[in-house]
């Protein structure tokens, strides 16, 4: 080991006259000139054999005529193989010099494969090139993105005990960062510390950049502080890297503290500094502060560039401030700044997102008049805007404008149109644009077929889905996880779970690995149909194939609760927490709903309080089951009033479901006026009544004995194109029966049956008996016959109807 170390030092210590000069540009001498120097008869290089040329090389090296030797070898590296040159150069004191010169020439000529081959030969002979050459070798590997090879070569040298310098470490650390192996990069930094190799700002900047990219800003900050301890000057690049890390983490205040530290350290900001701070502010929606930074930037003599404006346009778009975006655009026009394609697309996209596509199209036209060369990206932005607005005529004209200006519609262009028609369920139009796409000709890509499969899947046209899948493969395109995921999702929603399982098996057999979303779709499909055994079977497959998510467990939890398996649901929650997941609002809502369906008011509110104590804000879906469970409790009204009060405290506005439940609940507890007040509030909030609302209001009016008002509500339902259902008629028929108004009850009964609805059996029996008592035997006989023909048997009355009857 000691001999190897010494030989390496000799090769790199500058003992040779050519050491450290390999990489200077030196014109190669012709062979005639070389021969003249050696007092030999001129001969043409093309006629000399390789052995003779190598003999001359050996003589030149022994005479330390390095530049002359370099001229000969510079020709040979292009005509002879690495092994020929290295092997045929006979062993002599000049062999190490020859090897070093050959290695450097390969690197200088960008012949990296040959340099790598020579390195292997040297390595086999336990010899190493000079450190300067070695570092250039590492740099060459890095420049070719052979990061893994760079680390292998570096590790090999380290394992042989060769002492390298900070430049070598820098190349290796950069390769580790490029590979995303930050653990290796930090390990190499430790080696530098332990080996007392001086670290420079390059190494710190590279590793800090990698850490910030992975959002490991705390670790990056430690390295930043370490630079001060080791007296390594922190450059503007260092500050910018850490600032950017803070901004991307949303910690803009920390970025501005760094900005102040820069001032104290007398480090002058550059354009990147200001754009980084602007980006952080704009992403946080702090546009006033962003404007202050722009003014400071100008104060330093920097002129906002295209990237600056793209950041500002994006920030204004995030804040939905279209007017300010337009004002900024006008300012840009006045200052004469030419916006590039990227900045223009950010502006146009922001306008289109807010439904101002016409204005975006107008601006694009002006930009083109002012010299902007249009691209398919810009036109596609406008096209997408019109499609989102549903303005298909202007979408078509946008495609025409593209072609008029010489911009060829791209695959994205056609995919945008096909997507829109698939969303609308207009599959014929989608296929028409597919045909136009092929005529252009523009080849459909995987996304095109995925869009079509999803569209036909929504229409439940699964035969066509499979045809498209086959067509896709025939065209040489491999389906991906999105292709199969769309198909599986549609099959699950249609309840075709067996076919979904077959598609999953086909997907796996074709080497396409399902992701967690695909398994979640299957789990949800089985849960929706109460197939909990199959759902947990999918979970087992998922756990062996990919990482589960909280969505996975929430789906299973909801399925268990809907099946009334509360004990199993509670056990699953424990499992979720052991897995390291923190229950969210959906977790709690599922449990509360499960307890509500089980009629366990105490558990419902216990879970509700636990949810709030965990800092989770209730949603409207939290409120629904809480109100439902209060219907049956003795202290239901007290709890309902508490819920309504708490909703106002957390700024949670009731939806129609909540209003319906409140109207119903107050009615069941005899609070008629509160029921009516809830309906008035509902109307004032602009929430339209549905069938359930009307049914509950009919119940409320009947409780007060206001039959005419109840009839008026039914007429109002019909006028609003809301068809009364069996619950509506059962409420009315039963109420008339309780009043002994069997003739009135029969009128509603007749309308109900004529509309194809089936009455509750015991109401039919009561109505039939009442009509017989009044001597209306024919009507009673009709009811008995209809009951028999429709197969209506005696059954228990609905609880809600019982409540009306008692009233």
């Amino acid at each position: 080991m000691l001999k190897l170390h010494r030989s390496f030092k000799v090769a790199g210590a500058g003992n040779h006259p050519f050491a450290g000069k390999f990489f200077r540009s030196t014109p190669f001498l012709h062979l005639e000139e070389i021969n003249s120097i050696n007092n030999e008869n001129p001969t043409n290089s093309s006629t000399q054999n390789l052995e003779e040329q190598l003999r001359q090389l050996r003589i030149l090296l022994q005479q330390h005529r390095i530049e002359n030797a370099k001229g000969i070898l510079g020709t040979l590296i292009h005509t002879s193989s690495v092994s020929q040159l290295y092997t045929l150069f006979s062993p002599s004191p000049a062999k190490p010099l020859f090897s070093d010169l050959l290695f450097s020439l390969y690197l200088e000529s960008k012949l990296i494969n040959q340099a790598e081959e020579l390195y292997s030969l040297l390595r086999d002979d336990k010899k190493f090139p000079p450190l300067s050459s070695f570092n250039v070798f590492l740099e060459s590997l890095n420049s070719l993105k052979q990061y893994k090879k760079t680390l292998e070569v570096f590790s090999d040298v380290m394992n042989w005990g060769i002492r390298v310098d900070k430049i070598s470490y820098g190349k290796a650390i950069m390769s580790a960062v490029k590979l995303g192996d930050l653990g290796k990069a930090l390990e190499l930094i430790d080696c530098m510390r332990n080996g007392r190799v001086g670290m420079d700002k390059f190494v710190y900047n590279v590793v800090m950049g990698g850490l910030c990219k992975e959002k490991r800003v705390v670790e990056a900050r430690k390295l930043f502080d370490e630079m001060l301890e080791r007296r390594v000057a922190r450059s503007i690049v260092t500050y910018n890297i850490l600032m950017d890390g803070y901004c991307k983490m949303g910690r803009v205040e920390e970025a501005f503290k760094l900005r102040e530290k820069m001032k104290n350290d007398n480090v002058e900001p550059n354009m990147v500094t200001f754009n980084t701070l602007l980006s952080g502010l704009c992403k946080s929606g702090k546009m006033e502060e962003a404007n202050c930074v722009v003014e400071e930037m100008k104060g330093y003599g920097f002129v906002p560039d295209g990237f600056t404006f793209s950041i500002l346009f994006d920030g204004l778009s995030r804040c939905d401030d279209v007017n300010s975006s337009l004002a900024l655009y006008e300012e840009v026009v006045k200052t004469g700044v030419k916006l590039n394609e990227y900045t223009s697309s950010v502006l146009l996209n922001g306008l289109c997102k807010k439904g101002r596509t016409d204005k975006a199209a107008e601006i694009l036209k002006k930009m083109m008049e002012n010299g902007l060369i249009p691209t398919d990206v810009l036109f596609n932005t406008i096209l997408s805007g019109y499609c989102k607005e549903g303005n298909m005529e202007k979408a078509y004209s946008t495609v025409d404008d593209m072609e008029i200006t010489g911009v060829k519609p791209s695959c994205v262009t056609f995919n945008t149109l096909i997507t829109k028609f698939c969303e609308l369920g207009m599959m014929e139009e989608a296929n028409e644009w597919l045909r136009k796409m092929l005529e252009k000709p523009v080849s459909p890509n995987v996304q095109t077929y995925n869009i079509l499969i999803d569209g036909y899947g929504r229409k439940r046209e699964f035969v066509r889905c499979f045809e498209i899948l086959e067509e896709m493969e025939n065209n040489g395109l491999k389906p991906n996880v999105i292709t199969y995921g769309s198909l599986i999702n549609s099959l699950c929603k249609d309840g075709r779970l067996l076919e979904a399982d077959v598609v999953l098996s086909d997907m796996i057999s074709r080497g396409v690995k399902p992701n967690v979303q695909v398994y979640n779709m299957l789990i949800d499909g089985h849960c929706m149909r109460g197939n909990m055994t199959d759902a947990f079977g999918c979970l087992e497959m998922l756990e062996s194939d990919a990482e589960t998510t909280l969505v996975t467990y929430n789906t299973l939890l909801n399925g268990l609760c809907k099946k009334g398996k509360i004990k199993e649901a509670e056990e699953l929650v424990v499992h979720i927490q052991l897995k390291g997941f923190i229950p969210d609002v959906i977790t709690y809502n599922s449990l509360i709903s499960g307890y509500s369906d089980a009629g366990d008011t105490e558990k419902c509110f216990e879970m509700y309080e636990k949810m709030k104590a965990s800092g989770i804000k209730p949603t409207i879906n939290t409120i629904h089951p809480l109100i439902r469970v209060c219907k049956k409790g003795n202290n239901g009204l007290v709890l309902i009033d508490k819920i309504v009060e708490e909703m106002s405290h957390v700024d949670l506005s009731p939806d129609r479901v909540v209003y319906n439940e409140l109207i119903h609940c107050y009615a069941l507890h005899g609070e008629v006026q509160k029921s009516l007040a809830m309906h008035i509030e509902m109307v004032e909030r602009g929430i339209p009544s549905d069938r359930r609302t009307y049914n509950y209001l009919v119940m409320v009016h009947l409780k007060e004995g206001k039959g005419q008002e109840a009839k008026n509500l039914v007429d109002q339902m019909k006028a609003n194109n809301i068809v009364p259902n069996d619950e509506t008629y059962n409420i009315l028929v039963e109420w008339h029966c309780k009043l002994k108004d069997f003739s009135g009850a029969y009128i509603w009964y007749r309308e109900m049956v004529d509309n194809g609805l089936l009455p509750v059996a015991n109401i039919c029996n009561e109505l039939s008996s009442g009509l017989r008592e009044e001597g209306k035997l024919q009507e009673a006989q009709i009811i008995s016959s209809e009951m028999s023909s429709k197969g209506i048997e005696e059954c228990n009355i609905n609880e809600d109807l019982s409540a009306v009857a008692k009233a």
Side-chain angles (χ1 to χ4, degrees):
M1 185 68 70
L2 186 58
K3 280 179 80 174
L4 289 171
H5 183 61
R6 285 175 177 167
S7 73
F8 182 79
K9 287 206 293 184
V10 168
N15 293 335
H16 308 303
F18 60 87
K21 299 181 181 179
F22 289 144
F23 307 107
R24 294 178 185 172
S25 178
T26 304
F28 295 147
L29 297 176
H30 293 291
L31 285 175
E32 290 83 356
E33 293 176 284
I34 302 295
N35 292 331
S36 175
I37 293 171
N38 287 278
N39 298 315
E40 294 180 6
N41 292 327
T43 55
N44 193 300
S45 63
S46 62
T47 62
Q48 282 188 321
N49 58 39
L50 182 56
E51 288 81 356
E52 176 60 24
Q53 289 173 307
L54 291 175
R55 186 186 67 80
Q56 289 187 35
L57 259 177
R58 187 168 59 255
I59 294 169
L60 289 171
L61 290 173
Q62 287 171 348
Q63 294 174 355
H64 297 293
R65 298 182 179 185
I66 305 305
E67 295 301 325
N68 298 337
K70 189 175 180 183
I72 295 177
L73 197 52
T75 302
L76 291 179
I77 62 172
H78 297 288
T79 58
S80 304
S81 70
V82 177
S83 59
Q84 279 181 315
L85 294 174
Y86 184 75
T87 305
L88 293 177
F89 192 96
S90 60
S92 73
K95 184 70 177 274
L97 303 182
F98 166 78
S99 302
D100 295 345
L101 180 60
L102 181 60
F103 189 69
S104 65
L105 280 173
Y106 280 137
L107 293 172
E108 188 179 87
S109 302
K110 309 296 183 187
L111 300 174
I112 190 66
N113 290 334
Q114 288 85 335
E116 193 173 335
E117 185 181 345
L118 178 58
Y119 177 80
S120 296
L121 293 171
L122 290 168
R123 173 68 179 75
D124 291 341
D125 286 345
K126 298 180 174 55
K127 298 175 183 177
F128 294 91
L131 186 56
S132 58
S133 302
F134 177 71
N135 286 339
V136 174
F137 181 41
L138 294 181
E139 173 61 30
S140 299
L141 290 172
N142 262 342
S143 65
L144 293 172
K145 298 183 179 180
Q146 294 188 28
Y147 306 122
K148 189 175 179 182
K149 185 67 180 177
T150 303
L151 287 175
E152 287 174 359
V153 171
F154 180 84
S155 296
D156 181 59
V157 169
M158 292 292 288
N159 290 338
W160 276 96
I162 305 301
R163 184 170 178 80
V164 295
D165 61 9
K166 63 183 179 182
I167 297 174
S168 314
Y169 272 106
K171 306 306 177 188
I173 288 170
M174 176 179 277
S175 291
V177 171
K178 291 287 187 180
L179 288 171
D181 191 350
L182 292 175
K184 183 64 177 177
L186 293 170
E187 178 189 320
L188 289 172
I189 281 187
D190 277 338
C191 288
M192 292 183 78
R193 292 190 190 107
N194 297 334
R196 303 196 176 199
V197 178
M199 289 189 284
D200 57 14
K201 59 190 174 186
F202 172 81
V203 169
Y204 281 107
N205 289 346
V206 167
V207 180
M208 283 173 59
L211 290 169
C212 287
K213 188 177 180 181
E214 294 294 320
K215 297 184 178 180
R216 294 165 63 174
V217 186
V218 174
E219 293 171 82
R221 182 57 192 249
K222 287 179 181 177
L223 290 178
F224 179 83
D225 294 336
E226 183 183 305
M227 290 178 77
L228 181 63
E229 295 169 11
R230 290 180 172 265
R231 298 182 180 179
V232 179
R234 295 180 291 206
S235 66
I236 182 60
V237 175
T238 315
Y239 278 98
N240 287 345
I241 288 169
L242 193 54
M243 277 184 190
D244 186 56
Y246 279 130
C247 286
K248 284 178 178 173
M249 289 288 288
R251 297 170 62 181
V252 184
E253 291 181 5
E254 293 293 334
F256 273 90
K257 286 179 183 177
L258 270 182
R259 173 72 184 96
E260 291 303 312
K261 191 169 184 57
M262 276 179 67
K263 293 177 183 177
N264 296 333
D265 292 349
N266 295 317
V267 177
E268 288 295 315
N270 59 13
M271 200 67 184
V272 175
T273 311
F274 290 112
N275 282 341
T276 298
L277 292 170
L278 278 175
S279 181
L281 289 169
C282 289
K283 284 178 181 176
S284 302
K286 299 178 178 180
M287 296 312 297
E288 288 186 16
E289 291 93 327
N291 290 330
C292 293
V293 170
V294 172
E295 292 305 313
E296 185 185 358
M297 177 195 297
K298 292 176 181 177
Y300 273 85
F302 295 112
V303 178
D305 57 11
F307 188 56
T308 309
F309 287 117
S310 67
I311 293 168
L312 293 170
F313 284 132
D314 181 62
L316 292 169
S317 175
R318 289 171 184 268
C319 295
D320 299 333
D321 195 346
V322 176
N323 293 331
S324 293
S325 287
L326 292 172
L328 179 61
Y329 168 68
E330 294 300 329
E331 181 186 332
V332 172
V333 172
K334 286 178 184 177
T335 56
V337 175
K338 298 291 183 182
L339 298 182
N340 59 22
E341 180 197 348
Y342 175 73
T343 309
S344 302
S345 66
V346 173
L347 168 62
L348 299 178
N349 189 50
L351 293 171
C352 291
K353 279 184 176 179
K354 297 304 168 188
R356 300 289 298 275
T357 309
D358 280 339
K359 187 65 180 177
E362 178 189 325
I363 288 174
L364 177 58
K365 185 178 179 181
K366 286 182 181 178
M367 286 178 171
M368 289 191 294
E369 290 171 355
N370 291 330
L372 177 69
I373 298 174
T375 64
D376 64 314
V377 173
L378 296 173
F379 276 111
N380 287 340
T381 300
I382 303 298
L383 175 66
S384 179
Y386 280 129
C387 285
K388 285 175 183 175
E389 292 174 16
N391 193 337
M392 300 314 294
E393 289 301 319
K394 287 191 175 180
Y396 301 150
S397 65
T398 301
V399 178
D400 293 337
D401 290 341
M402 286 180 77
E403 296 184 294
I404 290 169
T405 54
V407 177
K408 183 182 177 182
S410 64
C411 194
V412 174
T413 310
F414 291 102
N415 285 351
T416 301
L417 289 160
I418 293 169
T419 298
K420 183 61 181 180
F421 286 120
C422 286
E423 287 174 356
L424 296 172
M426 301 168 68
M427 299 312 297
E428 288 185 15
E429 288 79 356
N431 276 312
E432 176 63 19
W433 278 97
L434 177 63
R435 184 184 63 76
K436 290 180 180 180
M437 183 179 191
L438 294 168
E439 286 175 355
K440 285 301 175 182
V442 176
S443 298
N445 60 10
V446 173
Q447 187 184 6
T448 313
Y449 288 107
N450 287 350
I451 294 164
L452 289 167
I453 288 172
D454 186 61
Y456 279 109
R458 292 184 190 189
K459 299 274 285 184
R460 304 298 186 260
E461 296 182 26
F462 296 111
V463 173
R464 182 65 184 129
C465 285
F466 286 106
E467 287 175 352
I468 293 169
L469 189 61
E470 186 177 355
E471 180 183 330
M472 178 181 183
E473 291 176 314
N474 290 339
N475 288 338
L477 295 173
K478 185 179 178 181
N480 59 18
V481 68
I482 296 173
T483 315
Y484 288 108
S486 295
L487 187 51
I488 288 171
N489 188 42
S490 297
L491 288 167
C492 287
K493 286 183 176 178
D494 198 45
R496 304 172 73 156
L497 295 167
L498 182 60
E499 289 158 281
D501 287 336
V502 171
V503 173
L504 177 68
S505 298
D506 182 61
M507 174 184 186
I508 295 170
S509 69
R510 291 173 181 267
V512 181
K513 186 178 179 181
N515 57 20
V516 65
Q517 287 77 20
V518 171
Y519 282 111
N520 285 349
M521 292 169 191
L522 287 162
I523 290 170
D524 185 55
H526 286 298
C527 286
M528 289 293 287
R529 280 148 193 86
N531 305 329
M532 297 311 299
T533 302
D534 292 331
F536 276 95
C538 288
L539 174 64
E540 289 179 12
M541 291 177 67
L542 169 56
E543 287 178 331
S544 65
D545 215 18
E547 288 292 326
T548 53
T549 64
L550 185 57
V551 173
T552 311
Y553 293 110
N554 279 343
T555 304
L556 288 164
L557 185 68
N558 189 47
L560 289 171
C561 289
K562 283 184 176 178
K563 286 281 286 184
K565 297 185 175 184
I566 301 300
K567 185 178 179 181
E568 290 91 332
E570 290 173 339
E571 290 172 355
L572 183 60
V573 172
V574 174
H575 180 72
I576 290 172
Q577 292 171 316
L578 289 174
K579 279 277 188 179
F581 294 109
I582 300 172
D584 63 3
V585 66
I586 297 172
T587 315
Y588 283 104
N589 285 351
S590 295
L591 284 169
I592 291 170
S593 184
Y595 289 130
S596 175
D597 292 341
D600 195 336
T601 307
E602 184 179 343
K603 276 284 190 181
C604 267
F605 280 88
E606 179 185 321
M607 195 56 58
Y608 176 58
E609 294 300 328
K610 187 176 180 180
M611 173 184 177
K612 291 189 294 181
S614 299
I616 298 173
K617 182 182 176 182
T619 66
I620 202 70
N621 289 326
T622 315
I623 304 303
H624 296 164
L626 288 174
I627 294 177
R628 283 201 310 271
V629 79
C630 291
K631 291 179 184 178
K632 301 172 186 177
N634 294 327
N635 62 338
L637 287 178
V638 176
L639 293 173
I640 286 174
D641 288 338
K642 178 186 175 183
I643 293 168
V644 172
E645 184 181 350
E646 286 196 8
M647 284 179 69
S648 64
H649 288 161
V650 294
D651 295 325
L652 201 58
S653 299
D655 61 357
R656 182 163 58 192
V657 175
V658 169
Y659 276 117
N660 284 345
E661 292 291 354
L662 289 172
I663 290 167
H664 189 200
C665 201
Y666 282 133
L668 289 175
H669 286 85
E671 295 285 346
V672 174
Q673 293 307 314
K674 280 190 175 182
S675 280
L676 295 174
M678 281 294 108
H679 182 246
I680 292 169
E681 184 181 313
M682 177 180 173
V683 172
E684 288 176 348
R685 285 179 178 267
I687 301 173
S689 302
D690 64 0
R691 184 184 290 111
R692 182 164 290 182
T693 314
Y694 281 112
N695 286 347
Y696 294 158
L697 288 172
V698 166
M699 180 190 296
V700 169
H701 285 302
L702 292 178
K703 272 182 171 286
E704 288 200 312
K706 297 178 179 179
Q708 186 57 47
E709 283 83 347
K711 183 180 182 304
N712 292 342
L713 278 171
V714 176
D715 292 339
Q716 188 179 331
M717 283 177 75
K718 296 173 182 176
N720 291 333
N721 294 317
I722 299 174
V723 180
N725 62 0
D726 53 353
E727 185 180 2
T728 317
Y729 289 112
N730 280 326
I731 291 170
L732 290 161
V733 172
E734 187 183 28
W735 183 75
H736 281 282
C737 286
K738 295 309 173 186
L739 293 178
K740 304 299 181 184
D741 179 12
F742 297 108
S743 296
Y746 185 72
I747 293 171
W748 287 115
Y749 166 82
R750 190 76 265 142
E751 184 177 322
M752 180 181 189
V753 174
D754 291 344
N755 286 332
L757 300 173
L758 302 177
V760 175
N762 57 355
I763 293 178
C764 288
N765 291 331
E766 186 177 353
L767 175 56
S768 179
S769 299
L771 289 171
R772 285 193 182 93
E773 289 175 6
E774 290 184 352
K776 296 180 179 180
L777 300 179
Q778 184 178 356
E779 288 87 342
Q781 184 59 42
I782 290 172
I783 291 174
S784 297
S785 299
E786 287 175 339
M787 286 178 66
S788 177
S789 66
K790 293 181 183 295
I792 299 175
E793 299 177 357
E794 191 71 32
C795 65
N796 293 327
I797 191 167
N798 181 282
E799 288 183 11
D800 292 346
L801 298 177
S802 296
V804 176
K806 289 174 184 176

